[in-house]
């Protein structure tokens, strides 16, 4: 397949925005795959801030980071991503170059614990306020469940209204696949 699948495309976008030594955010730790990717991307002098509300996700992420000897590059907060502004040190404001959200529920976890548009939009707004110019926010939207469809619709409405003078917004989606395949919304701060 020549076209990039959703998760590889998300990583491609972040690779274009993030360089070694940068500061980035994993807004939904999940099972730690993106956290490891980001920690490798920022290198030994970079910093990753990770957020999750589930201890199960935090534990899985810490274990994965330890397996790759990357734990020292990551600060983890047992908080929702809507706490970005409160938790990321002021000294980092203006220097964040990338952020990723995998929205929905924890794969293999409790499917009743899901992300919600209100907190996700709050996090996006906070990130846009503290990101560096050309910083990239990647939203991977899993919408094949009831709350996922609600969050998808609210995020689409929000992103459609973002001022083109402050951000470029891209949607990347396979439109002929069955079963509500995930898609990406990428927001590049101007």
């Amino acid at each position: 397949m020549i076209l990039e699948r959703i998760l590889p495309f998300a990583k491609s976008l972040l690779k274009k925005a993030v360089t070694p030594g940068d500061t980035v955010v994993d807004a939904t730790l999940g099972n730690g795959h993106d956290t490891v990717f980001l920690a490798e991307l920022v290198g030994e002098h970079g910093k990753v801030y990770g957020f999750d509300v589930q201890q199960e996700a935090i534990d899985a992420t810490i274990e994965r980071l330890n397996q790759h000897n990357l734990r020292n590059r990551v600060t983890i907060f047992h908080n929702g991503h809507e706490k970005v502004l409160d938790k990321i040190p002021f000294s980092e404001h203006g220097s964040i170059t990338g952020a990723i959200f995998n929205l929905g529920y924890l794969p293999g976890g409790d499917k009743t614990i899901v992300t919600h548009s209100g907190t996700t939009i709050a996090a996006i707004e906070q990130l846009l306020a503290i990101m560096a110019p050309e910083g990239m926010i990647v939203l991977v939207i899993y919408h094949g469940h009831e709350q996922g469809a609600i969050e998808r619709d609210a995020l689409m409405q929000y992103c459609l209204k973002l001022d083109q003078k402050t951000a470029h917004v891209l949607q990347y989606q396979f439109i002929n696949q069955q079963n509500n395949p995930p898609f990406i919304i990428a927001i590049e701060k101007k």
Side-chain angles (χ1 to χ4, degrees), residues 33-163:
H33 297 286
D34 287 336
T35 318
V36 167
F37 167 74
L38 291 171
E40 290 171 339
L41 203 55
V42 299
E44 64 181 289
H45 300 294
K47 190 70 177 167
V48 179
Y49 291 100
F51 294 81
D52 211 292
V53 297
Q54 295 183 74
Q55 189 62 47
E56 182 182 351
I58 292 169
D59 294 343
T61 299
I62 289 171
E63 183 177 334
R64 195 167 305 280
L65 288 166
N66 286 337
Q67 289 170 356
H68 292 86
N69 295 316
L70 297 169
R71 179 66 180 101
N72 63 328
R73 299 179 190 181
V74 181
T75 300
I76 294 175
F77 298 108
H78 190 178
N79 290 100
H81 44 235
E82 73 278 9
K83 299 291 185 183
V84 164
L85 201 56
D86 295 335
K87 296 296 182 181
I88 295 178
F90 184 75
S91 61
E92 302 281 7
H93 293 194
S95 64
I96 297 166
T97 59
I100 189 163
F101 294 69
N102 273 290
L103 302 172
Y105 51 80
L106 177 64
D110 183 348
K111 293 182 181 180
T112 65
I113 302 172
V114 296
T115 55
H116 295 273
S117 60
T119 56
T120 300
I121 290 169
I124 293 167
E125 289 176 341
Q126 291 172 41
L127 282 166
L128 285 172
I130 64 173
M131 290 187 90
E134 298 185 341
M136 179 76 63
I137 299 171
V138 178
L139 308 169
V140 183
I141 301 173
Y142 292 87
H143 57 106
H145 55 101
E146 185 178 346
Q147 179 56 39
I150 293 167
E151 185 172 33
R152 172 202 63 212
D153 294 346
L155 286 169
M156 291 298 293
Q157 287 302 316
Y158 170 77
C159 290
L160 284 168
K161 293 178 183 174
L162 281 173
D163 187 340

